[in-house]
């Protein structure tokens, strides 16, 4: 049903259309400025690993990558699914794909991520898929509001 491949330059415009609000973009890419632009993704990818898209009928429907690979673990970042494909199994396929890439290509045994406390749907999704909280950090939304970044990890 779904497949995946590495990010290509012609995917950028489509990915930029996924975050429908400043808050969604913050959840996906806290350092970006709304609206998301291809240039912002291109700059981020320079310091990211394994930028990956999920496809449905050759249409890009989700995106994620890794950062801070230390040999034993890495962090999952820039996770987003097209609004049209939420609740249709894309998130699960994306996470399973990224877990597999982390194990096989990066030889890590632990995958980490940060999920904002105001993103309840994502917190519950990650918990359902075996991620457990291990730390909390202070984050500041573009509005100036303080929120908690919940650090989660999963043994692969």
């Amino acid at each position: 049903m779904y497949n995946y491949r590495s990010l290509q330059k012609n995917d950028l415009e489509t990915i930029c259309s996924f975050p429908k609000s400043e808050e969604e973009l913050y959840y996906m890419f806290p350092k970006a400025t709304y609206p998301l632009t291809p240039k912002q993704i291109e700059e981020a990818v320079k310091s990211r690993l394994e930028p990956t898209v999920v496809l449905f009928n050759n249409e890009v429907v989700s995106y994620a990558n890794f950062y801070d690979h230390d040999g034993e673990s890495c962090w999952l970042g820039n996770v987003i699914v097209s609004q049209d494909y939420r609740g249709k199994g894309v998130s699960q396929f994306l996470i399973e794909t990224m877990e597999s890439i982390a194990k096989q290509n990066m030889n890590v045994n632990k995958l980490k991520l940060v999920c904002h406390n105001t993103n309840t749907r994502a917190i519950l999704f990650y918990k359902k898929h075996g991620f457990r909280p291990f730390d909390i950090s202070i984050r500041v939304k573009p509005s100036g509001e303080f929120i908690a970044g919940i650090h989660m990890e999963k043994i692969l």
Side-chain angles (χ1 to χ4, degrees):
M1 185 166 170
Y2 300 112
N3 57 21
Y4 70 94
R5 63 167 166 73
S6 295
L7 175 71
Q8 297 175 357
K9 188 173 179 94
N10 62 349
D11 300 330
L12 300 178
E13 286 289 341
T14 300
I15 294 166
C16 289
S17 74
F18 292 168
K20 297 297 184 191
S21 68
E22 185 176 54
E23 183 173 47
E24 274 192 10
L25 177 59
Y26 182 75
Y27 291 156
M28 172 210 179
F29 187 178
K31 293 180 181 175
T33 302
Y34 188 79
L36 184 58
T37 63
K39 186 174 179 88
Q40 290 180 87
I41 297 172
E42 286 176 319
E43 283 301 309
V45 166
K46 291 177 183 177
S47 62
R48 298 295 175 124
L49 304 164
E50 302 285 346
T52 303
V53 295
V54 171
L55 305 164
F56 179 74
N57 290 335
N58 293 320
E59 176 186 354
V60 174
V61 297
S62 71
Y63 172 69
N65 57 46
F66 298 113
Y67 63 99
D68 290 352
H69 178 244
D70 67 8
E72 293 183 18
S73 67
C74 63
W75 291 78
L76 179 65
N78 298 144
V79 177
I80 186 108
V81 174
S82 166
Q83 194 171 36
D84 296 337
Y85 288 87
R86 294 177 189 169
K88 297 180 180 179
V90 176
S91 298
Q92 181 171 338
F93 182 86
L94 176 64
I95 294 304
E96 289 171 355
T97 297
M98 297 308 285
E99 288 174 3
S100 178
I101 291 170
K103 276 180 86 167
Q104 294 174 12
N105 297 5
M106 301 173 67
N107 199 33
V108 298
N109 58 21
K110 189 183 295 182
L111 188 56
K112 301 177 182 180
L113 58 87
V114 176
C115 191
H116 302 96
N117 73 294
T118 51
N119 193 353
T120 304
R121 183 175 177 175
I123 292 168
L124 296 174
F125 170 82
Y126 290 126
K127 181 184 182 319
K128 177 181 173 183
H129 289 88
F131 287 84
R132 299 289 177 251
F134 71 91
D135 199 4
I136 297 175
S137 59
I138 298 170
R139 303 292 169 124
V140 183
K141 290 173 64 175
S143 66
E145 176 187 0
F146 289 93
I147 62 172
I150 301 171
H151 299 227
M152 302 178 85
E153 65 185 5
K154 179 178 181 177
I155 305 299
L156 301 177

